[in-house]
Amino acid sequence: MEIALRPVHDSDLPVFYRQMNDPEALRMAAFTPEDPADRSLFEDHWKRVRSSALVRTVLTDGDVVGHAAVYGEPGEREVTYWVDRAYWGRGIATAALRALLAEVPERPLYARAAADNAGSLRVLHKCGFRVTAHASGFAHARGEETPEVVLKLDA
């Protein structure tokens, strides 16, 4: 299985939109847009992301399976990623995040995950992130306050 990153193409956006509307994936991610089905908000979000963050499409054997990004202000930049649920458990998110981290030498980098998102926490730990804090926030995908973990990757 070949996993690669490339810049986001306009043709990737319909795939991302479909992925962002998978109810099980939304619940696991927890901290999602208030209304992921609102196509105009989705389009506006991706326009902003593509102009202000380093964002990459994740490919597996040439197929678009998700995205990974680094965003935010220097010294406070965070990583984020999304892999289609059909591809979970295959090491794709870990390989994609490692590739993204190789592209972005800046440290420290931060990440956040719902405290019960064991898969995402495993990915982050495998890539060298360590827990630095626990917090909580309102998770739109769950409709409730949800515990989260803050992680940091040092030099």
Side-chain angles (χ1 to χ4, degrees):
M1 178 169 45
E2 181 185 345
I3 298 162
L5 301 182
R6 66 155 166 74
V8 174
H9 298 166
D10 290 345
S11 61
D12 300 334
L13 297 180
V15 177
F16 298 165
Y17 180 77
R18 178 187 51 78
Q19 292 169 344
M20 290 288 301
N21 281 281
D22 174 336
E24 189 174 331
L26 283 168
R27 177 147 181 77
M28 186 58 64
F31 301 99
T32 62
E34 185 173 355
D35 183 4
D38 185 319
R39 189 63 183 244
S40 65
L41 289 177
F42 172 86
E43 303 269 341
D44 290 345
H45 167 78
W46 275 97
K47 186 176 183 178
R48 281 190 317 278
V49 166
R50 290 172 78 182
S51 69
S52 65
L54 174 70
V55 62
R56 297 290 183 251
T57 295
V58 178
L59 302 169
T60 299
D61 295 332
D63 293 330
V64 175
V65 299
H67 54 82
V70 175
Y71 67 94
E73 297 299 318
E76 298 177 8
R77 290 167 55 89
E78 289 190 36
V79 299
T80 186
Y81 50 88
W82 189 286
V83 171
D84 190 304
R85 185 166 51 94
Y87 293 87
W88 288 0
R90 299 183 192 181
I92 294 167
T94 301
L97 183 55
R98 283 183 176 146
L100 183 70
L101 294 173
E103 207 176 317
V104 180
E106 175 186 337
R107 301 293 182 270
L109 292 173
Y110 297 89
R112 294 176 173 268
D116 63 356
N117 187 339
S120 193
L121 291 171
R122 263 192 314 277
V123 167
L124 291 162
H125 285 292
K126 286 179 186 179
C127 291
F129 285 81
R130 297 294 170 244
V131 174
T132 59
H134 295 271
S136 69
F138 186 79
H140 291 291
R142 298 179 182 187
E144 63 187 14
E145 195 76 13
T146 300
E148 67 179 327
V149 178
V150 180
L151 303 99
K152 181 180 180 184
L153 178 65
D154 285 311

